Amino acid sequence: MALTIGVDVGGTKVAGGVVDHHGRILEQVRRPTPSTNPKETAEVIAEVVNLLKGKFDDVKAVGVGAAGFVDEDRAIVQFAPNLAWRDEPIRQKIEERVELPVVVENDANAMAWGEARFGAGRGEDFLVCVTLGTGIGGGIVVDGNLYRGRFGIGGEIGHFRVVPEGRRCGCGNRGCWEQYASGSALVAEARDLARVSPALAGRLLELGGGKPNGISGPEITQAAREGDPAALECFQTIAKWTGQGLADLTAILDPGVFIIGGGLSDAGDLLLAPVRAAFERALTGRGHRAFADIRIAELGSAAGIVGAADLARI
């Protein structure tokens, strides 16, 4: 079976890998993302692909997972919040530089496909992948196929609004789910708590170097694992919003499985147990319907590479 290359393009890094048809990464390369310069970003992607291609004789195609809105033809990144891409013809630019067929896909869709094919969603036909990181990304698999919507931009679940006129979001709206249930939301919650109640947040402040702005995700997770009440309270708050959002998505999509990925998923059961409890409390018709399973993603940071590479085979 031919090999393909998957490339995961984020605001800080371009990560690529050669992937076989079993979803195994055989070789990887990483480079910093020149996020303010579209031309340089394309050149870095091409450099990563050409370095990998040079090590194998039978690479047949490239999949690029991009953090942004990808058009229905999987060729153009119409908008990327963390990159200077506006109606950027990525497929054409990369194909010209690497001389291979290229498919472009949203990065969360690529991650969802990787988990569906080779990770926590193996064997599941109806699933939703939720990435809890700086924001919230999502990917939806229906009847074993990636759902993209009419114009290719389906699955932007972080931007359904849960609080009318709530916190301002980078998308231009207010009250989006990712402002209340993401890694950034967890950090904001902990820092606010440390400012308002420094005595209660003593351990968080200690781990953060004595300053609220020094508190980040790893410190909150460490304190929670130590049993710190303030850190556990922060996780409970984020879990409540996460579980409620999953319940609302269930009312619309009725998936069999939710897969939780992204940096926040590293907290494991610190997050998963209260999310499940909040989900079950908020689910419409509870007591008269099955609960979707909620699982932690298995492929970690490799999911985007693996998923993009596999989409290049289709």
Side-chain angles (χ1 to χ4, degrees):
M1 297 291 288
L3 303 175
T4 53
I5 291 174
V7 185
D8 187 9
V9 184
T12 60
K13 73 176 188 313
V14 175
V18 177
V19 182
D20 69 13
H21 67 287
H22 295 295
R24 295 177 299 208
I25 297 177
L26 308 180
E27 187 81 23
Q28 288 194 68
V29 173
R30 285 186 174 220
R31 293 289 185 271
T33 305
S35 57
T36 60
N37 190 313
K39 180 181 178 182
E40 290 183 7
T41 301
E43 289 172 351
V44 168
I45 295 169
E47 176 192 351
V48 166
V49 171
N50 283 325
L51 282 170
L52 291 166
K53 186 177 73 165
K55 298 183 179 184
F56 296 86
D57 295 329
D58 52 349
V59 173
K60 299 301 183 184
V62 178
V64 177
F69 295 173
V70 178
D71 75 329
E72 59 192 293
D73 295 324
R74 299 198 297 182
I76 296 170
V77 178
Q78 297 172 314
F79 172 76
N82 298 313
L83 295 163
W85 283 342
R86 301 294 183 270
D87 296 315
E88 191 70 15
I90 292 300
R91 184 171 72 189
Q92 176 189 337
K93 289 189 172 184
I94 303 306
E95 285 183 342
E96 290 172 351
R97 289 167 168 83
V98 306
E99 298 181 345
L100 286 171
V102 173
V103 168
V104 183
E105 185 54 86
N106 171 268
D107 62 338
N109 281 352
M111 177 203 167
W113 187 250
E115 288 290 342
R117 290 274 289 130
F118 305 107
R122 288 187 303 275
E124 300 289 344
D125 286 337
F126 296 87
L127 65 86
V128 176
C129 191
V130 182
T131 61
L132 303 177
T134 303
I136 295 180
I140 302 167
V141 174
V142 177
D143 280 337
N145 297 303
L146 187 63
Y147 176 79
R148 305 187 72 249
R150 168 61 181 84
F151 303 106
I153 310 173
E156 290 290 339
I157 60 178
H159 298 289
F160 82 85
R161 284 182 276 182
V162 297
V163 178
E165 299 305 314
R167 297 172 187 166
R168 187 180 296 278
C169 183
C171 75
N173 285 327
R174 289 181 176 272
C176 293
W177 189 30
E178 71 174 36
Q179 296 303 310
Y180 301 87
S182 63
S184 296
L186 177 69
V187 171
E189 188 74 24
R191 290 177 177 178
D192 285 348
L193 183 60
R195 292 185 189 101
V196 173
S197 302
L200 176 62
R203 180 56 178 154
L204 287 171
L205 283 166
E206 180 185 354
L207 291 171
K211 298 180 179 180
N213 284 348
I215 300 169
S216 62
E219 286 80 40
I220 304 166
T221 301
Q222 179 182 339
R225 285 181 173 145
E226 294 171 358
D228 177 68
L232 290 170
E233 179 183 326
C234 293
F235 267 104
Q236 287 286 343
T237 299
I238 300 309
K240 179 196 75 172
W241 284 109
T242 302
Q244 180 175 306
L246 297 184
D248 291 343
L249 287 171
T250 296
I252 302 166
L253 298 171
D254 190 30
V257 175
F258 285 103
I259 298 173
I260 308 296
L264 198 50
S265 69
D266 292 342
D269 274 343
L270 280 174
L271 177 72
L272 204 57
V275 164
R276 283 175 173 149
F279 168 73
E280 293 179 7
R281 286 195 303 271
L283 188 63
T284 181
R286 58 193 175 277
H288 302 280
R289 62 185 299 170
F291 291 130
D293 193 10
I294 304 174
R295 306 172 185 170
I296 294 293
E298 291 181 4
L299 300 181
S301 60
I305 293 174
V306 171
D310 197 63
L311 287 167
R313 299 178 191 279
I314 298 174

